[in-house]
Amino acid sequence: MIKGKQSLSFTQAPFLISSGCVVGSKEAKGPLGKHVDMFNTDDLFGEKTWEAAESTMQKEACVIALGKAHVETEEVRYLFGGDLLRQGIATSMGVETLQIPMFGLYGACSTSGEALALASMAVAAGYGSNLLAVTSSHFGSAEKEFRFPLGYANQRPLSAQWTVTGSGAFLVGTAKSHVRVAGVTVGKIVDYGLKDSQNMGACMAPAATDTIVQNFIDFGRGPEDYDRIITGDLGKIGRTILWDLAEKKGYQLKEKHLDCGLLIYDHEKQDTHAGGSGCGCAAVTLSAYILPKLAKGEWKRVLFVPTGALLSTVSFNEGESVPGIAHGIVLEHC
Amino acid sequence: MIKGKQSLSFTQAPFLISSGCVVGSKEAKGPLGKHVDMFNTDDLFGEKTWEAAESTMQKEACVIALGKAHVETEEVRYLFGGDLLRQGIATSMGVETLQIPMFGLYGACSTSGEALALASMAVAAGYGSNLLAVTSSHFGSAEKEFRFPLGYANQRPLSAQWTVTGSGAFLVGTAKSHVRVAGVTVGKIVDYGLKDSQNMGACMAPAATDTIVQNFIDFGRGPEDYDRIITGDLGKIGRTILWDLAEKKGYQLKEKHLDCGLLIYDHEKQDTHAGGSGCGCAAVTLSAYILPKLAKGEWKRVLFVPTGALLSTVSFNEGESVPGIAHGIVLEHC
């Protein structure tokens, strides 16, 4: 079960039974737009605030994932969920009506990996046969939380990333499907001392490198053992830093590497600068793009590595650096 | 393993090997002051900000817990941690230097229960033989986060609670000790529609009732099967609501019930209004007061129920209610 220093390999690997994803208007117009389950044109999803809209996305993503698997909410034993907002309010308000016993998480944009890891660990341990993992982010609520309210029309440097308006929910359990969670590599906090909150790709790249390399060591693998290694939201800048750092450790990642932040938008046309980001970015890309390829067998084994930048407006204002964290999820076709 | 609707009973129950707790000056002068491991007179712990002070408390609490058990940080497989601050920054900055693979959590003041539940679930599943669960809160950082900076000299209603400056860390694992985590009852979000963020005891009491009653049902027990049922921070007002709600469901809790928020301060002399609160409140009380009694066998079985109020300044300003959550941890002398 225990693999190396930071990883777990599941002898009875849990299945990723179904998923649901909900996005906003910009994401719906992007390259993954035709693959999502639901989108909304005004990004408010019938609510009055960005925060309530984000909560509604989470709830809808869960309901869609459960609907696809014909599983009732009462049959879901535990839920693992999180978002980017202070005190995880999008999750608390979003999953409240589902009335599933829940664990609130915070791992910045790595939270989808954290939720999938914990849900898989719980299923593999026999703690339930249907568990939900859900995360979300919203451009409007995130700009308000971390930068300025949208009405301020803040200018963004080219290194900045665009927070994805979207939520992805995953039903992890014992019912057979064509994708299973074979193992996890739990990330540790990695801090290279960077302080630029408008260049989060650079802040997160060292953590992504650390987790990916640790996964190789723990499982006795290399890039050649994965069809794809897919990070959460390193974007254009973070991606090249990951390649460079991994190369220094003896691994060539470029050929096998994709980044959800670069898959979800058409960066030339959609003006999203360094790429997409947010808890919703990796979750939506996993649901809409990665899982279908794994289910069909087009990819046999993928290392999915959501990445998070651990900062708040308070830590930023107090001059703290922005450490990163990344969790690795080994997904296999079966 | 699975017990009833929301609970788990561990066949190989993990041990609470050791704990460490660190508090501020007010807590050191309170009834539990003589039992804590470390305190500081200016509440800054050598740092320049309340947030950095809170991080330092978390790190120190972990180091103390590990020191008591003669376990090195490298031997700790995973850490589960959280705090009250936006984006859990006290935890990210606090545990960074320990370099233990970690899961960031958010469950408001219930986080110590959430961390203990997940750490115990992971140990019982064989995912590691030494895991850490740590939480913290700080009066200075919490007032700034949720209400006003201390310099503003804000007036507080009598229903308000005093955020504990403190951190508690727990080493959960397979090495034998005199206290074990026999089971957990994972809480769900309970919302009675209350909106008064200055009366959080009332907001959390329905969730505490829900989890305690569910624990009774899942394990086929009643109050008579526990030496004590100890909630996190309901305070004076929440306590009576819990008693009333439980009585309506057929359970008399008053005789067996204690509340960490009422144990940690001398309310007559320390002017803490309805009682203590915060992620540190239940954690410090568990470490300094509850665990020693369990270890000695003075109490044989305790239901420890940290309670959380799920709000942020944003949700409050947007007129949302304050739902609650509570997780139940069954602790047994062995």
Side-chain angles (χ1 to χ4, degrees):
Chain A
M1 213 66 147
I2 286 178
K3 271 273 185 192
K5 215 170 141 194
Q6 294 174 219
S7 304
L8 298 171
S9 168
F10 301 121
T11 34
Q12 288 229 304
F15 294 97
L16 250 169
I17 302 171
S18 65
S19 72
C21 69
V22 176
V23 299
S25 53
K26 193 179 184 88
E27 294 71 23
K29 288 177 200 139
L32 305 187
K34 56 185 179 293
H35 304 298
V36 302
D37 295 306
M38 184 194 271
F39 72 95
N40 178 267
T41 47
D42 68 359
D43 295 352
L44 275 167
F45 294 85
E47 302 290 345
K48 284 182 184 158
T49 65
W50 301 129
E51 292 76 20
E54 189 175 340
S55 292
T56 299
M57 285 196 299
Q58 278 214 12
K59 190 182 65 192
E60 292 297 338
C62 288
V63 169
I64 291 168
L66 293 177
K68 285 186 191 173
H70 306 291
V71 168
E72 302 290 327
T73 49
E74 296 76 33
E75 297 172 70
V76 181
R77 195 150 178 98
Y78 301 128
L79 179 149
F80 296 87
D83 59 88
L84 296 178
L85 302 183
R86 62 187 71 173
Q87 288 83 42
I89 212 72
T91 306
S92 302
M93 306 298 175
V95 306
E96 186 186 320
T97 53
L98 302 177
Q99 285 294 295
I100 300 166
M102 68 90 72
F103 295 97
L105 309 178
Y106 187 79
C109 309
S110 77
T111 311
S112 60
E114 186 183 354
L116 277 170
L118 287 169
S120 305
M121 288 160 66
V123 171
Y127 297 152
S129 45
N130 285 302
L131 271 75
L132 268 174
V134 61
T135 54
S136 67
S137 53
H138 191 296
F139 181 71
S141 64
E143 286 296 296
K144 185 168 141 188
E145 176 76 28
F146 292 101
R147 288 162 285 264
F148 297 95
L150 293 189
Y152 180 78
N154 180 38
Q155 290 260 6
R156 304 154 56 83
L158 286 171
S159 61
Q161 292 176 247
W162 191 279
T163 306
V164 166
T165 298
S167 173
F170 304 90
L171 183 65
V172 184
T174 50
K176 214 174 161 351
S177 76
H178 291 294
V179 184
R180 62 185 184 190
V181 182
V184 298
T185 301
V186 184
K188 55 188 205 290
I189 298 173
V190 180
D191 189 355
Y192 275 28
L194 280 82
K195 294 188 176 188
D196 186 357
S197 71
Q198 300 272 26
N199 186 359
M200 292 201 287
C203 299
M204 297 185 287
T209 314
D210 194 80
T211 298
I212 292 169
V213 169
Q214 194 62 49
N215 177 275
F216 293 162
I217 296 167
D218 287 351
F219 285 87
R221 288 179 188 156
E224 63 281 5
D225 295 303
Y226 291 102
D227 290 303
R228 292 290 184 283
I229 293 161
I230 308 179
T231 47
D233 49 0
L234 294 183
K236 273 188 216 170
I237 296 171
R239 175 175 66 168
T240 58
I241 299 173
L242 167 70
W243 295 346
D244 290 348
L245 290 173
E247 196 174 344
K248 279 190 185 165
K249 304 214 173 198
Y251 300 101
Q252 294 288 341
L253 292 189
K254 199 173 168 179
E255 295 297 306
K256 292 292 177 77
H257 179 244
L258 291 174
D259 184 70
C260 300
L262 294 168
L263 291 165
I264 201 164
Y265 296 120
D266 181 331
H267 300 283
E268 300 304 315
K269 291 185 191 151
Q270 292 191 292
D271 191 29
T272 46
H273 296 196
S277 69
C279 287
C281 179
V284 166
T285 308
L286 177 62
S287 175
Y289 182 76
I290 304 169
L291 285 185
K293 285 187 189 291
L294 275 162
K296 274 184 280 180
E298 191 176 325
W299 293 337
K300 302 289 186 199
R301 187 190 284 150
V302 164
L303 180 57
F304 175 63
V305 191
T307 44
L310 301 167
L311 84 163
S312 79
T313 46
V314 174
S315 71
F316 177 78
N317 288 338
E318 289 177 352
E320 299 283 353
S321 60
V322 183
I325 190 163
H327 301 294
I329 312 292
V330 181
L331 298 168
E332 290 180 352
H333 170 77
C334 59
Chain B
M1 214 66 147
I2 286 178
K3 270 275 186 191
K5 216 171 141 194
Q6 294 174 221
S7 303
L8 299 170
S9 167
F10 301 122
T11 35
Q12 288 228 306
F15 294 97
L16 251 168
I17 303 170
S18 65
S19 71
C21 68
V22 176
V23 299
S25 54
K26 193 180 184 87
E27 294 71 23
K29 288 178 200 139
L32 306 187
K34 57 184 178 292
H35 304 298
V36 303
D37 296 306
M38 184 193 271
F39 72 95
N40 179 269
T41 47
D42 67 0
D43 296 351
L44 275 167
F45 293 85
E47 303 289 346
K48 285 183 184 158
T49 65
W50 301 130
E51 292 76 21
E54 189 175 340
S55 292
T56 299
M57 285 196 297
Q58 278 215 11
K59 189 182 65 191
E60 292 297 338
C62 288
V63 169
I64 291 168
L66 293 177
K68 285 186 193 175
H70 306 291
V71 168
E72 301 291 326
T73 50
E74 296 76 33
E75 298 172 69
V76 181
R77 196 152 177 95
Y78 301 128
L79 179 148
F80 296 87
D83 59 88
L84 296 178
L85 302 182
R86 63 185 70 172
Q87 287 83 42
I89 212 73
T91 306
S92 303
M93 307 298 175
V95 306
E96 185 185 319
T97 53
L98 302 176
Q99 285 294 295
I100 300 166
M102 67 90 72
F103 295 97
L105 309 178
Y106 187 79
C109 309
S110 77
T111 312
S112 60
E114 185 182 354
L116 277 171
L118 287 169
S120 306
M121 286 160 67
V123 171
Y127 298 151
S129 46
N130 286 302
L131 271 73
L132 268 174
V134 60
T135 54
S136 67
S137 53
H138 191 296
F139 182 71
S141 64
E143 287 294 297
K144 184 168 143 190
E145 177 75 29
F146 293 100
R147 287 161 285 264
F148 296 96
L150 292 190
Y152 179 78
N154 180 37
Q155 291 259 5
R156 305 152 56 82
L158 286 171
S159 61
Q161 292 175 248
W162 191 280
T163 306
V164 165
T165 298
S167 173
F170 304 90
L171 183 65
V172 184
T174 50
K176 214 173 159 354
S177 77
H178 291 294
V179 184
R180 63 185 184 189
V181 182
V184 298
T185 301
V186 184
K188 54 189 208 292
I189 298 173
V190 180
D191 190 354
Y192 274 28
L194 280 83
K195 294 188 175 186
D196 186 356
S197 71
Q198 299 272 27
N199 186 359
M200 292 202 287
C203 299
M204 297 185 287
T209 314
D210 193 80
T211 298
I212 293 168
V213 169
Q214 194 63 49
N215 177 275
F216 292 162
I217 295 168
D218 287 352
F219 285 87
R221 288 180 187 155
E224 64 281 5
D225 296 303
Y226 291 103
D227 290 304
R228 291 292 183 281
I229 293 162
I230 308 178
T231 48
D233 49 1
L234 295 184
K236 273 187 219 172
I237 296 171
R239 176 175 65 168
T240 58
I241 299 173
L242 167 69
W243 296 345
D244 290 348
L245 290 173
E247 197 175 343
K248 280 192 185 164
K249 304 215 174 197
Y251 299 101
Q252 295 287 341
L253 293 189
K254 199 173 166 179
E255 294 297 306
K256 291 293 177 78
H257 179 244
L258 291 173
D259 184 71
C260 300
L262 294 168
L263 290 165
I264 200 163
Y265 296 121
D266 181 330
H267 300 283
E268 299 304 317
K269 291 185 192 150
Q270 293 191 291
D271 191 27
T272 46
H273 296 197
S277 70
C279 287
C281 178
V284 167
T285 308
L286 178 61
S287 175
Y289 182 75
I290 304 169
L291 286 184
K293 285 187 189 290
L294 275 161
K296 276 184 278 179
E298 192 176 325
W299 293 336
K300 302 289 186 200
R301 188 190 282 151
V302 164
L303 180 57
F304 175 62
V305 191
T307 44
L310 301 167
L311 84 162
S312 79
T313 46
V314 175
S315 71
F316 176 78
N317 288 337
E318 289 178 352
E320 300 283 353
S321 60
V322 182
I325 190 162
H327 300 294
I329 312 292
V330 181
L331 298 168
E332 290 180 352
H333 170 78
C334 58

